[in-house]
């Protein structure tokens, strides 16, 4: 399946802040920075504003084992 968001356990801007930089960096390294921006920034903002998230599949499958193989990289 595809992910459209990276969740956090944030509760506010001061206590338990949404520290998502590590996730952004990892997604950018695994796929690309554009997708990291979409799932960490743009898509959550669209939903917060009451808009739909556009669905598009632009990534081709990885011939070396797929998504989980990338996690081990």
């Amino acid at each position: 399946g595809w992910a459209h968001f990276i969740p956090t356990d944030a509760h506010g801007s001061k206590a338990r802040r949404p520290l998502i930089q590590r996730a952004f960096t990892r997604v950018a390294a695994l796929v690309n920075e554009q997708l990291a921006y979409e799932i960490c920034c743009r898509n959550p903002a669209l939903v917060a504003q009451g808009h739909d998230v556009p669905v598009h599949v632009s990534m081709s499958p990885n011939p070396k084992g797929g998504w989980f193989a990338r996690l081990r990289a």
Side-chain angles (χ1 to χ4, degrees):
W2 296 98
H4 299 287
F5 302 92
I6 296 288
T8 70
D9 191 25
H11 286 242
S13 61
K14 295 186 177 157
R16 292 179 71 178
R17 299 177 335 177
L19 302 175
I20 199 163
Q21 181 62 43
R22 285 179 61 195
F24 181 96
T25 302
R26 186 68 175 147
V27 171
L30 290 172
V31 185
N32 62 53
E33 194 166 312
Q34 177 62 37
L35 182 63
Y37 173 76
E38 289 177 12
I39 65 177
C40 293
C41 305
R42 187 192 66 160
N43 291 351
L46 286 172
V47 171
Q49 296 167 1
H51 300 290
D52 291 334
V53 174
V55 177
H56 56 85
V57 179
S58 59
M59 244 176 64
S60 59
N62 182 349
K64 295 182 181 177
W67 179 254
F68 288 108
R70 293 176 189 200
L71 292 177
R72 287 179 247 144

